[in-house]
Amino acid sequence: MGEESKKWVLTVTAQTPTNIAVIKYWGKRDENLILPINDSISVTLDPEHLCTTTSVAVSPSFDQDCMWLNGKEFSLAGGRYQRCLKEIRSRACDYVDEKKGIKITKKEWENLHVHIASYNNFPTAAGLASSAAGFACLVFALAKLMNVKDDLGTLSSIARQGSGSACRSLYGGFAKWIMGKNDNGSDSIAVQLADEKHWDDLVIVIAVVSSRQKETSSTTGMRETVETSMLIQHRAKEVVPKRIVEMEEAIKNRDFPSFSRLACADSNQFHAVCLDTLPPIFYMNDTIISCVEKWNRSEESPQVAYTFDAGPNAVLIARNRKAAALLLQRLLFFFPPHSDADLSSYVIGDKSILQDAGIKDMKDVAALSPPPEVSDKIPAQQYKGDVSYFICTRPGKGPVVLCDESKALLNPETGYPK
């Protein structure tokens, strides 16, 4: 191949949302293939507020596979990355771009190296499912680059081998990860239950308690739970299958009381299983749970559901915008920022929720009164600065290809980071 023929670079940029499980996945029956011991259900978050952007490039001039994560070079030596690359390459199809003079046969894809640049617009490894969005975006972008013809279900089974919950990020709205029964994992895929428009009344507020990397990784935590917890098998075999059916029905009917009851109960049980692990795993923040539970009990019907993944950050799902505004008032009362904080950087995402809550600046935060469900006999305790910031968002769409070159992370001329 002459030097002239080595000059072309082919690139694709994609954006993929993260997702939060409302019926949790915890525990694997196969560590290598990442096959879970139970089904799970998640809500996909609006990619405007929480997403991974990934650019992938291929060129005959590249001499090795390379990756950059959040601007820093990142090793692709890990088995999970290699497995995803191998699976996508094996499914690549012929590619022809006559304008650019590019022709790649199915066989040639195996010998072409790729460059990958990925960026998360939210904290990595802090319990906000960054690996889910990351691997889903990697697989989706590579599949577009290599002209893979398989459907999203097949792509979800590949993304699953990078990070289990990544399979659910290939769909918008609500998704279900079917655990499957086959030893090779071929039937362990994600499917969409409802799109993002199905239940668009919902508003999601995330309290980012800590953006630090969590002390116990999900992979290590799951392994230790399966090995030591007496409760995990009961949860997987007896409790979750019934909850899955009930949650599917609640989503289908937009039944918020049932949705809230199931999501809160499953989150609490997931963390009970973590506490039943040796050594016990601590992820959760109980102050926010207490706040939500007292409010829900004081109302005729639940206003908010809470769920915590493998990290301290609280994901709070309000039944509508009015409830979300009242929730934000309560959260800002209990967890006010430091007095010199910039409120616009403390509440990010959909800032209109702040306006609905009647809060313009720090003076309004300081003027907030204890919510009515708080007992007059016991002074309300406030935790100034304990929350780093709040993200206001909503159910969102699935992955998309970005055609705007200004959003690409790799230079289309060189295939290296901009």
Side-chain angles (χ1 to χ4, degrees):
M1 189 178 284
E3 288 303 311
E4 277 299 312
S5 62
K6 285 189 176 185
K7 285 186 176 179
W8 60 262
V9 177
L10 186 63
T11 64
V12 168
T13 298
Q15 194 175 70
T16 301
T18 188
N19 71 81
I20 296 294
V22 290
I23 301 293
K24 304 295 186 186
Y25 141 61
W26 195 251
K28 305 182 185 82
R29 63 183 173 92
D30 186 303
E31 289 271 346
N32 290 325
L33 294 175
I34 311 187
L35 301 178
I37 60 174
N38 61 263
D39 293 349
S40 58
I41 292 175
S42 65
V43 56
T44 298
L45 305 183
D46 190 336
E48 280 190 32
H49 308 135
L50 292 124
C51 73
T52 295
T53 301
T54 299
S55 291
V56 291
V58 65
S59 173
S61 65
F62 299 163
D63 56 9
Q64 62 180 349
D65 294 335
C66 296
M67 183 173 181
W68 296 265
L69 177 61
N70 294 336
K72 296 180 180 178
E73 195 155 359
F74 185 85
S75 173
L76 278 169
R80 294 184 177 189
Y81 287 97
Q82 293 302 320
R83 195 176 296 126
C84 290
L85 281 166
K86 182 180 177 183
E87 289 280 356
I88 292 294
R89 280 184 170 125
S90 72
R91 290 170 167 78
C93 296
D94 293 352
Y95 177 89
V96 178
D97 185 332
E98 292 182 355
K99 285 185 179 180
K100 293 183 178 179
I102 302 172
K103 185 176 181 181
I104 308 169
T105 65
K106 179 177 175 64
K107 187 68 177 172
E108 285 173 331
W109 282 112
E110 295 177 15
N111 299 315
L112 285 168
H113 293 291
V114 294
H115 284 183
I116 302 160
S118 194
Y119 174 76
N120 295 324
N121 69 348
F122 56 97
T124 300
L128 286 173
S130 57
S131 62
F135 274 102
C137 204
L138 174 70
V139 167
F140 184 79
L142 285 172
K144 294 297 181 183
L145 179 75
M146 298 187 186
N147 202 23
V148 172
K149 304 295 187 184
D150 293 274
D151 61 14
L152 285 178
T154 302
L155 294 184
S156 78
S157 73
I158 299 171
R160 183 206 76 230
Q161 296 175 57
S163 172
S165 50
C167 66
R168 300 187 305 244
S169 274
L170 284 162
Y171 298 95
F174 291 88
K176 175 184 177 182
W177 177 8
I178 301 167
M179 62 179 285
K181 296 179 180 178
N182 296 341
D183 289 341
N184 66 1
S186 59
D187 58 345
S188 184
I189 62 171
V191 296
Q192 188 179 57
L193 297 177
D195 67 20
E196 65 275 13
K197 295 175 183 176
H198 169 72
W199 203 353
D200 56 5
D201 289 347
L202 299 179
V203 177
I204 301 163
V205 179
I206 303 171
V208 181
V209 176
S210 170
S211 58
R212 299 189 309 272
Q213 188 162 331
K214 57 202 179 195
E215 290 182 13
T216 307
S217 74
S218 300
T219 300
T220 302
M222 285 187 208
R223 186 183 305 121
E224 291 176 349
T225 297
V226 169
E227 289 173 356
T228 66
S229 171
M230 299 289 285
L231 298 178
I232 187 67
Q233 292 303 326
H234 171 70
R235 166 177 162 74
K237 292 177 181 176
E238 302 296 331
V239 180
V240 172
K242 294 173 185 174
R243 280 188 184 153
I244 289 284
V245 173
E246 291 178 25
M247 182 59 89
E248 286 190 59
E249 197 67 16
I251 291 167
K252 177 184 174 183
N253 297 324
R254 292 182 292 187
D255 175 358
F256 191 80
S258 296
F259 176 87
S260 177
R261 173 180 58 81
L262 291 162
C264 295
D266 201 71
S267 176
N268 291 339
Q269 188 184 67
F270 155 54
H271 288 279
V273 166
C274 289
L275 285 173
D276 190 49
T277 300
L278 291 175
I281 305 166
F282 299 91
Y283 285 131
M284 200 165 48
N285 180 300
D286 59 350
T287 306
I288 292 175
I289 291 179
S290 176
C291 168
V292 172
E293 287 285 3
K294 285 177 182 175
W295 183 24
N296 279 344
R297 281 198 300 271
S298 72
E299 299 283 347
E300 291 182 4
S301 186
Q303 301 301 299
V304 177
Y306 60 78
T307 187
F308 290 76
D309 272 358
N313 306 311
V315 178
L316 305 161
I317 306 173
R319 65 186 306 153
N320 52 37
R321 289 189 69 86
K322 181 181 177 182
L326 293 171
L327 170 64
L328 198 54
Q329 286 178 351
R330 284 164 167 79
L331 291 172
L332 286 170
F333 172 78
F334 285 112
F335 302 96
H338 293 293
S339 54
D340 60 347
D342 177 6
L343 194 58
S344 66
S345 63
Y346 194 68
V347 178
I348 61 178
D350 183 358
K351 296 186 189 299
S352 65
I353 304 296
L354 259 182
Q355 295 166 9
D356 292 354
I359 298 170
K360 295 178 182 177
D361 51 35
M362 286 299 297
K363 290 179 184 177
D364 294 330
V365 174
L368 288 169
S369 302
E373 64 270 12
V374 173
S375 171
D376 293 334
K377 297 176 183 177
I378 305 171
Q381 187 172 352
Q382 293 179 293
Y383 305 87
K384 183 177 284 190
D386 275 17
V387 170
S388 300
Y389 54 92
F390 295 102
I391 303 171
C392 297
T393 186
R394 63 185 75 83
K397 62 185 179 182
V400 294
V401 172
L402 300 179
C403 298
D404 183 351
E405 282 197 0
S406 68
K407 295 181 179 179
L409 304 175
L410 295 173
N411 186 320
E413 303 295 324
T414 66
Y416 283 84
K418 289 182 175 179

